[in-house]
Amino acid sequence: MKGRIHSIDTFGTVDGPGIRFVLFMQGCALQCGFCHNPDTWDPNRGRSVTVDEVLAEIEPYLEYYRRSGGGITVTGGEPTLQAPFVAELFKECKRRWGLHTTIDSSGYCQPDHVEELMSVTDLVLLDLKQMDDAKHRALTSQSNERILRFAAWLSEREQPVWIRHVLVPGITDDYADLTALGRFIGGLSRVEKVEILPYHRMGVYKWQQLGRDYPLEGVPTPDDREVQRAYRLLEEGRAQRARESGQAVSL
């Protein structure tokens, strides 16, 4: 079986627990305005590889992953677009080495397409970008309906999840949107961590190389005060949900 990949990182430290082998898949149905890898969108770009070729890239670094409590993270692009390939890769990582497996996903997929993949996935990093559907369409080109449905499906099967939210000043930092996100998170099971990721401009040069206008030109990176405000609002939303259901809450 072959998959189409963009690139690899053998020493990832921000995409799940421990030190990780990070595989960037090619192809994505969203076109997020803040994307720092727009060169992963086109499913026909990148290079074609077999599962065995990826395993050969992982093997020299196994001790780093094992000793640190790390493993493999598949991101993109959108890894669920190539779910059969990623599932086969994860199966082999577990069979040969017992590695911890993670996918970093936008959630823009159908549950029946990823059943097999989820059965061999230990952790999902789920990127929830915007709760307001109209704003989500403006930011990503797609509705958030499928994403929220996928999040609920993960919750029903009690799949361990880390929620990630990119904080973009003036776009994803509205009080109502952040508290709504907190309320939604508060209704999910097995959310082990919530991360606010400050918007950055490190991928702007890739937009320029692709001949695309960068849609967030002039938008600043949020400072620590703004990030902490976002955490507080998420917690406020989760607390509202918890009070309604009589549960305790903590971020």
Side-chain angles (χ1 to χ4, degrees), residues 1 4 19 26 66 87 107 118 126-127 133 142 157 200 203 226-227 243:
M1 182 180 293
R4 189 162 288 277
I19 299 170
Q26 195 70 34
R66 285 171 168 161
M118 288 300 105
L126 184 62
D127 304 313
D133 189 60
Q142 300 287 353
R157 60 182 285 128
H200 62 73
E226 293 170 295
V227 171
R243 285 193 296 271

Side-chain angles (χ1 to χ4, degrees), residues 126-137 139-140 142-145 147-149 151 163-166 171-188 234 241:
L126 184 62
D127 304 313
L128 297 181
K129 305 175 193 303
Q130 173 58 259
M131 290 300 294
D132 182 281
D133 189 60
K135 293 179 181 178
H136 193 279
R137 290 174 184 269
L139 180 62
T140 73
Q142 300 287 353
S143 168
N144 65 9
E145 181 181 356
I147 294 166
L148 300 183
R149 188 166 62 244
I163 300 292
R164 291 175 152 186
H165 177 70
V166 178
I171 297 175
T172 67
D173 63 347
D174 181 77
Y175 173 90
D177 295 335
L178 286 170
T179 52
L181 177 58
R183 286 176 60 85
F184 181 76
I185 293 171
L188 302 176
L234 287 184
R241 182 66 176 257

